[in-house]
Amino acid sequence: MSIIKLSTQSLQNGNIEEHKQKQEELLSYVNQIFEELKNNNSSCQSQELIRNEFMNDSFASVIRIMAYSNFLQTGNLIKKSECENFSNEEYLRGVMLFTQDLVRYSMGRAVQNDINSIYIARDLVDALLSELVKFDFKDRLKQSFEEISDVLRKIENILYEFSLKLRKSKTNSGNILRTENLSKEESLKLFEFDEIRLAMDNLDEIKQHFRKEGMKIRQFSKKALFYLHRADYETSNELLSKAEELIRNLIPTIVDNLSLKESFSYFIGEYMEVCLFKDWLIQKRIKPFSEFQINVVGDEIYISALCDISIELERYAVSRATFGDRKNVEQCLDTILALSTKLIKLSLNQRFQKKIDTLRNSAERLENILFELSLTENQ
């Protein structure tokens, strides 16, 4: 999003009029994205497209610009309620990134002998840090949080160096003190972090429960696959039924918390692979995506499962070749070749290339097995 860079540059360069224009363009563009999200409310796949990692970073950059602009106008931190449609994580990461801009801002104010503004920036970062320390951050948020202490240290160093400048110029030491005093308690009224922390703690609990149930789906799927290879369809069906029940129970949670969709895709992929293999064993067909009736995952997960099924088909073919069952080996090869041909025609991204290569490798190995079987038949 080059418009973010342009807005940031105009703000840092002090070109307020240009910044206002760029910020209006930026917010208009972001609002269009959010409007599209609302219009596609029934499509979880469309919503998740917006909430991928790249867009989360971009939205955090938007918050960063909004926070800096708000600070220049009010001297305070922008409130979460003023950042409608942005998630709590995007808001927090944005305001954390914004504190880095206050270092350059403080240096600029020191050049202008404006110690009051430096104190305001220092107090805001200190108050923000005192609130964020109550959170239990993970991953990238934790890294951003740890950088705030360094920001506070740099601003305090600027204050110290500025005080030395005043003393060297024999300025009255009383001028080193700010003339305006914004108490920490008063500044914290604008932050609204208690509600954010409670919401994020609640989301963490949901995620823990979700991962626990998701691991059960994987376990049931793996066990079902074990019994499928041993032709124990009754036990396999029982295990898959348990996995399906867990999936049905988790779907409402995913609809309410689309950030869980990526983890769900990881759990559901193995389940789909097992179902595809079971259908092929019983009916010698590939189960279509529409029959899964899991509308919270995209077709990419299904395509991934189609690629992975070649491993199970190859394993099954080897076991049948042991008994000289040429017919089943040929059926496995025909299925893999058909899948490979269909998938190559699709415009798949680079990450699927290795999976398609797996299909080709499986086909080559089965062709070798058929060749070896033909040699033994001719003897």
Side-chain angles (χ1 to χ4, degrees):
M1 296 174 72
S2 58
I3 193 170
I4 292 179
K5 293 182 180 179
L6 292 173
S7 181
T8 304
Q9 287 173 2
S10 60
L11 186 59
Q12 292 176 341
N13 294 334
N15 193 334
I16 303 300
E17 290 302 319
E18 181 183 354
H19 165 68
K20 287 181 178 179
Q21 179 184 352
K22 295 300 180 184
Q23 181 168 320
E24 287 177 3
E25 293 178 13
L26 174 61
L27 294 179
S28 175
Y29 174 70
V30 172
N31 287 333
Q32 287 178 12
I33 295 177
F34 285 129
E35 193 63 33
E36 181 182 340
L37 175 60
K38 291 177 182 178
N39 292 337
N40 292 280
N41 206 25
S42 60
S43 173
C44 291
Q45 184 180 358
S46 175
Q47 294 180 50
E48 186 60 21
L49 180 63
I50 293 176
R51 281 297 192 265
N52 59 27
E53 186 172 313
F54 170 75
M55 292 305 292
N56 281 338
D57 288 344
S58 298
F59 287 153
S61 297
V62 174
I63 294 291
R64 177 180 187 171
I65 296 171
M66 293 172 63
Y68 196 8
S69 179
N70 181 81
F71 172 78
L72 293 178
Q73 297 176 50
T74 67
N76 287 311
L77 185 70
I78 192 169
K79 296 188 285 186
K80 174 61 176 71
S81 56
E82 295 176 285
C83 304
E84 189 179 1
N85 295 321
F86 293 95
S87 69
N88 288 331
E89 183 175 341
E90 290 159 356
Y91 170 76
L92 288 175
R93 190 149 189 269
V95 296
M96 290 179 192
L97 292 172
F98 147 70
T99 61
Q100 298 174 16
D101 298 320
L102 292 180
V103 177
R104 183 175 177 181
Y105 167 82
S106 298
M107 291 178 65
R109 299 325 300 163
V111 172
Q112 300 298 323
N113 293 325
D114 182 6
I115 195 168
N116 285 322
S117 295
I118 304 174
Y119 270 116
I120 291 172
R122 195 281 308 271
D123 285 354
L124 189 149
V125 175
D126 187 40
L128 178 62
L129 188 61
S130 68
E131 283 297 304
L132 295 181
V133 76
K134 301 173 186 177
F135 287 73
D136 181 21
F137 291 122
K138 298 177 179 65
D139 303 325
R140 290 185 302 163
L141 277 179
K142 183 177 182 181
Q143 181 181 353
S144 298
F145 166 71
E146 291 172 349
E147 292 172 354
I148 298 180
S149 297
D150 190 47
V151 168
L152 182 60
R153 178 185 60 80
K154 289 178 180 178
I155 296 177
E156 289 177 338
N157 284 342
I158 292 171
L159 277 171
Y160 166 69
E161 292 168 0
F162 189 77
S163 68
L164 292 179
K165 172 186 173 182
L166 292 178
R167 289 191 176 94
K168 285 181 180 179
S169 62
K170 297 182 181 180
T171 304
N172 189 311
S173 60
N175 290 335
I176 297 174
L177 300 176
R178 53 188 161 178
T179 56
E180 297 177 8
N181 185 16
L182 180 65
S183 71
K184 183 181 293 187
E185 183 176 336
E186 182 182 349
S187 65
L188 287 179
K189 290 179 181 178
L190 301 174
F191 285 174
E192 305 172 337
F193 284 118
D194 287 340
E195 295 85 351
I196 297 174
R197 187 173 67 254
L198 289 173
M200 293 189 70
D201 287 345
N202 182 52
L203 182 59
D204 284 341
E205 291 179 6
I206 293 173
K207 286 182 177 179
Q208 289 177 7
H209 172 73
F210 183 85
R211 292 191 188 100
K212 183 179 178 181
E213 297 298 288
M215 289 306 297
K216 288 181 182 178
I217 294 173
R218 287 201 71 205
Q219 289 171 4
F220 288 140
S221 299
K222 283 181 176 293
K223 289 179 180 179
L225 182 62
F226 174 86
Y227 287 108
L228 280 176
H229 277 291
R230 286 150 184 81
D232 188 347
Y233 299 116
E234 183 179 351
T235 305
S236 177
N237 286 335
E238 289 176 2
L239 291 165
L240 286 176
S241 295
K242 291 180 180 179
E244 288 164 6
E245 183 179 358
L246 289 173
I247 290 169
R248 285 194 297 270
N249 293 337
L250 288 180
I251 285 177
T253 305
I254 299 166
V255 172
D256 294 334
N257 303 277
L258 288 175
S259 60
L260 299 173
K261 186 181 168 185
E262 185 176 350
S263 298
F264 184 70
S265 299
Y266 170 72
F267 299 131
I268 207 69
E270 193 150 3
Y271 162 79
M272 280 188 167
E273 180 188 344
V274 177
C275 289
L276 287 169
F277 183 53
K278 186 192 79 169
D279 253 45
W280 187 88
L281 287 175
I282 297 173
Q283 303 182 44
K284 292 297 183 288
R285 65 148 196 164
I286 296 297
K287 184 176 182 177
F289 179 59
S290 58
E291 291 186 16
F292 280 98
Q293 296 182 345
I294 305 174
N295 59 354
V296 293
V297 296
D299 51 12
E300 284 193 354
I301 307 303
Y302 176 72
I303 293 173
S304 180
L306 286 177
C307 295
D308 293 337
I309 195 180
S310 66
I311 299 173
E312 304 309 328
L313 289 173
E314 182 184 346
R315 181 182 170 190
Y316 175 74
V318 170
S319 68
R320 298 316 305 162
T322 305
F323 298 98
D325 187 353
R326 182 187 181 93
K327 180 181 178 181
N328 269 300
V329 177
E330 289 176 340
Q331 287 178 334
C332 290
L333 176 59
D334 290 343
T335 302
I336 292 174
L337 289 174
L339 285 174
S340 180
T341 302
K342 292 283 187 182
L343 293 173
I344 288 173
K345 293 179 180 179
L346 299 177
S347 300
L348 300 176
N349 57 36
Q350 190 62 33
R351 74 184 184 90
F352 281 105
Q353 191 57 51
K354 288 185 177 180
K355 288 184 175 290
I356 293 176
D357 289 342
T358 301
L359 282 168
R360 292 198 192 100
N361 294 334
S362 294
E364 289 178 7
R365 284 190 286 268
L366 292 190
E367 287 171 346
N368 288 333
I369 290 174
L370 284 173
F371 172 70
E372 291 166 354
L373 284 175
S374 67
L375 292 178
T376 58
E377 291 171 355
N378 294 330
Q379 290 179 355

